[in-house]
Amino acid sequence: MVRIGVEERRTRLGRRHRLGAGCQAADPVEAAASMVALHATDPATVHLSVATRVPGSDVANTERALYDDRSLIRMLGMRRTVFVVPTPFAPVIQAACTDDIAVKQRKLLVKHLAESGIADGAESCGQWLAAVEESTATALALRGSATAQELSADEPRLRTRLDMAAGKAYAAQPYVTSRVLFQLAAEGRIVRGRPLGTWLSGQHQWSPAVDWLPGGLGDKPAAEEARVTLARAWLESFGPGTTADLQWWAGWTLGQTRKALAAVEAVEVDLDGQAGYVLPGDEAPEVPVDPWVAFLPGLDPTPMGWKEREWFLGPHKPKLFDSTGNIGPSIWSDGRIIGAWGQPESGEVRYQLLEDVGADTTALVESEAARWTTWLAGVRVTPRFRSPLEKQLSQG
């Protein structure tokens, strides 16, 4: 069995994730494809992840790919998370992950509707939901694009309140609006378009998928075939990785994960005593990468690509992750995390190193901090999920 050690894994990360010197992507689509998908739960992450990997890229460049060329699309995907993906790959993710999510979320929403007394029993609640969905989809088609608020004006039932956790200290009565739009999006019927306001906004215009793209998301492969394609893409970008890594990243069952790995004929390798996998023919060492430093945003797809992160994270998890497992902004050197960065109200980029990295690497870090201060041009990015060290650096 071929052994692939930590240093080799870090070299692969630098080259394949377009972070190493001379390894950068040519455009936002190539940057997204190199990662399979870019995290988009926090809207700022998309732009910062692209700018890290594409020299000279700016917000307008990424927005052009998303909203004008539509060569990238924002969609629900792995682990019920919003991603930005190359448009041709969207049907694969839809079939491999999102369709299952849509089924589970529909059952959950019907359950919550019944518990809230919206209709009498699950069957009636299902019929009520289907009627509201069709009415909402029709209203959106007539408008061409619309906000959630505009659709609520067209379909008043979207203002129905759910009675969540009644009698509990954390009880809430949210409108059903976001849940209905989530369901329509999960089923590939509607898509998120331009944000309302700046590129930092998490609110978007909605459009019918068939209007946004000719034919909508396009023909989907069968679910099993799609999972095989997605597993292959993950191994190309993140391999070697373990079964647990892929299962966590994709949000699959253990059985689905093992079946997909078998179908791609994944080759077992030794990760310092642990079984990992690569694609056939990918056992040879990667071409070395010159020394590099990168500032990655919170929820960047690189640190979120594996469940088991010790080989690049070391002992730094308590300072870099929030309580629910989301990473904040991080600083990388040659395939491992060495620190974190943040912005106070004044907007400049501050950083803190978590270990002694030597004068040469420190100089690269200082240069990157200055570059990001210039790139952000006074715009302050506050991550949606905040790590302890990022909070500390953002004070003052």
Side-chain angles (χ1 to χ4, degrees):
M1 186 185 302
V2 173
R3 175 184 174 274
I4 298 181
V6 169
E7 290 305 317
E8 168 63 17
R9 297 185 76 180
R10 292 173 178 174
T11 297
R12 289 178 177 229
L13 184 154
R15 182 169 295 281
R16 301 183 184 193
H17 290 199
R18 307 290 188 164
L19 297 173
C23 305
Q24 286 84 7
D27 53 49
V29 176
E30 189 173 71
S34 69
M35 305 305 302
V36 185
L38 301 176
H39 276 261
T41 303
D42 189 331
T45 296
V46 177
H47 296 278
L48 300 180
S49 291
V50 169
T52 298
R53 294 171 171 86
V54 181
S57 181
D58 57 16
V59 169
N61 194 33
T62 302
E63 287 186 330
R64 189 177 307 111
L66 277 166
Y67 311 126
D68 297 329
D69 302 338
R70 299 179 184 177
S71 51
L72 293 174
I73 189 169
R74 184 178 273 104
M75 67 178 296
L76 189 74
M78 295 71 72
R79 306 186 311 283
R80 199 160 57 87
T81 297
V82 178
F83 290 91
V84 161
V85 306
T87 301
F89 203 69
V92 171
I93 292 178
Q94 182 72 32
C97 301
T98 318
D99 284 345
D100 280 350
I101 294 169
V103 171
K104 294 174 184 177
Q105 291 301 304
R106 177 174 292 279
K107 291 180 180 178
L108 183 61
L109 179 52
V110 167
K111 176 176 180 288
H112 289 161
L113 289 169
E115 291 172 348
S116 301
I118 304 305
D120 186 15
E123 183 176 354
S124 296
C125 285
Q127 294 170 349
W128 183 92
L129 175 58
V132 174
E133 287 175 323
E134 293 308 313
S135 176
T136 302
T138 299
L140 183 57
L142 291 173
R143 284 182 177 268
S145 64
T147 65
Q149 185 175 3
E150 289 170 338
L151 291 171
S152 294
D154 295 338
E155 172 45 270
R157 285 177 291 184
L158 288 174
R159 305 292 286 179
T160 302
R161 289 186 180 274
L162 294 173
D163 193 9
M164 305 295 292
K168 305 290 185 181
Y170 49 87
Q173 292 186 318
Y175 292 120
V176 77
T177 312
S178 62
R179 297 284 294 276
V180 172
L181 295 177
F182 177 98
Q183 193 66 41
L184 289 170
E187 293 174 3
R189 298 180 63 182
I190 67 176
V191 298
R192 297 166 178 83
R194 289 187 180 274
L196 304 180
T198 73
W199 56 280
L200 302 178
S201 173
Q203 294 183 303
H204 294 265
Q205 295 271 350
W206 293 93
S207 294
V210 293
D211 291 348
W212 192 255
L213 299 171
L217 292 182
D219 295 332
K220 295 183 298 182
E224 187 170 322
E225 177 187 349
R227 286 192 289 270
V228 173
T229 301
L230 187 59
R232 183 179 295 110
W234 182 82
L235 284 171
E236 288 175 350
S237 296
F238 296 92
T242 66
T243 301
D245 288 331
L246 176 56
Q247 181 185 356
W248 174 83
W249 180 87
W252 294 335
T253 66
L254 180 58
Q256 289 172 332
T257 306
R258 286 174 171 169
K259 196 169 186 178
L261 286 171
V264 301
E265 299 180 339
V267 177
E268 185 174 344
V269 294
D270 174 20
L271 303 181
D272 293 326
Q274 187 176 25
Y277 294 91
V278 296
L279 289 174
D282 193 27
E283 302 95 324
E286 184 62 84
V287 177
V289 179
D290 289 338
W292 58 273
V293 161
F295 281 44
L296 299 187
L299 286 182
D300 184 87
T302 290
M304 299 299 290
W306 297 270
K307 180 180 182 181
E308 299 167 2
R309 307 180 175 112
E310 291 79 7
W311 60 276
F312 65 78
L313 179 59
H316 306 317
K317 181 177 179 179
K319 293 186 177 181
L320 297 174
F321 282 76
D322 70 7
S323 59
T324 57
N326 298 301
I327 192 170
S330 55
I331 302 174
W332 293 64
S333 172
D334 301 332
R336 63 191 180 92
I337 293 180
I338 60 170
W341 63 277
Q343 288 177 279
E345 291 185 8
S346 52
E348 78 273 12
V349 170
R350 292 179 176 176
Y351 69 87
Q352 180 175 322
L353 298 179
L354 295 173
E355 53 191 72
D356 183 2
V357 295
D360 290 344
T361 299
T362 300
L364 290 175
V365 170
E366 291 176 350
S367 177
E368 275 296 287
R371 185 179 76 84
W372 275 110
T373 295
T374 300
W375 192 93
L376 289 163
V379 175
R380 189 187 187 201
V381 176
T382 301
R384 182 168 296 184
F385 303 99
R386 307 192 66 185
S387 65
L389 188 47
E390 181 275 327
K391 289 181 181 179
Q392 177 184 327
L393 290 166
S394 298
Q395 294 175 354

